[in-house]
Amino acid sequence: DAKTTQPPSMDCAEGRAANLPCNHSTISGNEYVYWYRQIHSQGPQYIIHGLKNNETNEMASLIITEDRKSSTLILPHATLRDTAVYYCIVRVVSGGGYQKVTFGTGTKLQVIP
Amino acid sequence: NAGVTQTPKFRVLKTGQSMTLLCAQDMNHEYMYWYRQDPGMGLRLIHYSVGEGTTAKGEVPDGYNVSRLKKQNFLLGLESAAPSQTSVYFCASSYRGAYEQYFGPGTRLTVT
């Protein structure tokens, strides 16, 4: 799996958009970008994933650059409950078998009132 | 749906004692995983299972054993606990290997 690079920490004002960057310059063509978050002391929570097109769900939007070497997770209106560690992961997604998921140290997002 | 549940939530063991952590999922997922998380580190995979009756080693399997006798349950055993096994343990499941994982709330284990 390709390695990812994320800033160790970020702040965001409550109600504003939180934009969390991730670099994955060695990503290969069959690797997807996944985002999870871990709110203090809880288990990680899946947020969103994508291959090359931008994706949106009820939690967030994922913007992947055209060359796929970086991506941005966007929380459109951050709340205090979004304070968490956010993990960017790239992984192969294919039909069967175990697929390794490597959680790095992520970005600690602090939403400020 | 309860999702992924873990029992117990907290446990304190003395060195050399044994215990079993239970993970249960009600999503009919094929794959199940056990991770540990230590301060300042990401999650590390201990063991995983790709289906009922199967188990496989992850990154840090030493000192742990697992069993998957029923599809919905995945047990993690410590036969002789050591202080180095003090950690937070998370169980997860996924529909297949390539799908997103759903995590339980964690078990905080302290070995003295």
Side-chain angles (χ1 to χ4, degrees):
Chain A
D1 289 347
K3 289 187 176 180
T4 62
T5 304
Q6 299 177 253
S9 64
M10 293 181 64
D11 291 339
C12 177
E14 188 177 18
R16 304 297 292 270
N19 296 286
L20 292 95
C22 180
N23 284 321
H24 31 80
S25 58
T26 59
I27 193 169
S28 58
N30 62 347
E31 288 183 310
Y32 282 64
V33 180
Y34 274 73
W35 283 84
Y36 286 77
R37 73 180 182 184
Q38 187 173 20
I39 296 170
H40 180 63
S41 298
Q42 298 181 20
Q45 176 189 24
Y46 164 77
I47 301 173
I48 198 168
H49 74 279
L51 182 63
K52 55 184 178 180
N53 298 320
N54 297 338
E55 302 288 344
T56 295
N57 63 20
E58 64 278 4
M59 290 182 66
S61 295
L62 174 61
I63 309 298
I64 303 174
T65 58
E66 193 168 339
D67 63 8
R68 303 208 325 120
K69 293 184 177 182
S70 65
S71 60
T72 301
L73 179 74
I74 301 172
L75 309 179
H77 305 286
T79 71
L80 297 179
R81 288 175 295 181
D82 292 321
T83 292
V85 177
Y86 287 77
Y87 298 98
C88 171
I89 297 158
V90 293
R91 59 180 300 215
V92 173
V93 177
S94 59
Y98 167 64
Q99 302 289 346
K100 183 178 179 181
V101 177
T102 301
F103 289 83
T105 51
T107 295
K108 184 174 175 61
L109 175 69
Q110 182 71 48
V111 180
I112 302 168
Chain B
N1 280 355
V4 180
T5 58
Q6 293 183 233
T7 309
K9 288 185 170 51
F10 302 93
R11 186 71 187 267
V12 178
L13 287 179
K14 294 188 188 306
T15 298
Q17 288 184 320
S18 63
M19 77 162 295
T20 300
L21 282 66
L22 171 64
C23 175
Q25 53 94 4
D26 62 0
M27 297 174 282
N28 201 34
H29 284 170
E30 292 292 334
Y31 284 59
M32 296 187 74
Y33 314 81
W34 276 107
Y35 292 89
R36 61 177 288 174
Q37 187 173 37
D38 301 302
M41 300 183 70
L43 284 90
R44 292 183 292 170
L45 183 67
I46 304 171
H47 286 281
Y48 66 97
S49 168
V50 302
E52 182 179 314
T54 73
T55 63
K57 294 180 180 180
E59 301 174 64
V60 289
D62 294 341
Y64 305 95
N65 56 75
V66 288
S67 63
R68 183 110 181 261
L69 299 179
K70 293 183 178 180
K71 184 177 183 178
Q72 64 267 35
N73 295 337
F74 196 28
L75 279 62
L76 177 71
L78 287 73
E79 291 185 342
S80 180
S84 61
Q85 294 178 304
T86 293
S87 189
V88 181
Y89 292 85
F90 290 102
C91 176
S93 70
S94 64
Y95 175 61
R96 291 279 194 270
Y99 287 69
E100 59 271 18
Q101 295 181 17
Y102 293 85
F103 284 78
T107 294
R108 188 172 296 273
L109 175 67
T110 301
V111 183
T112 61

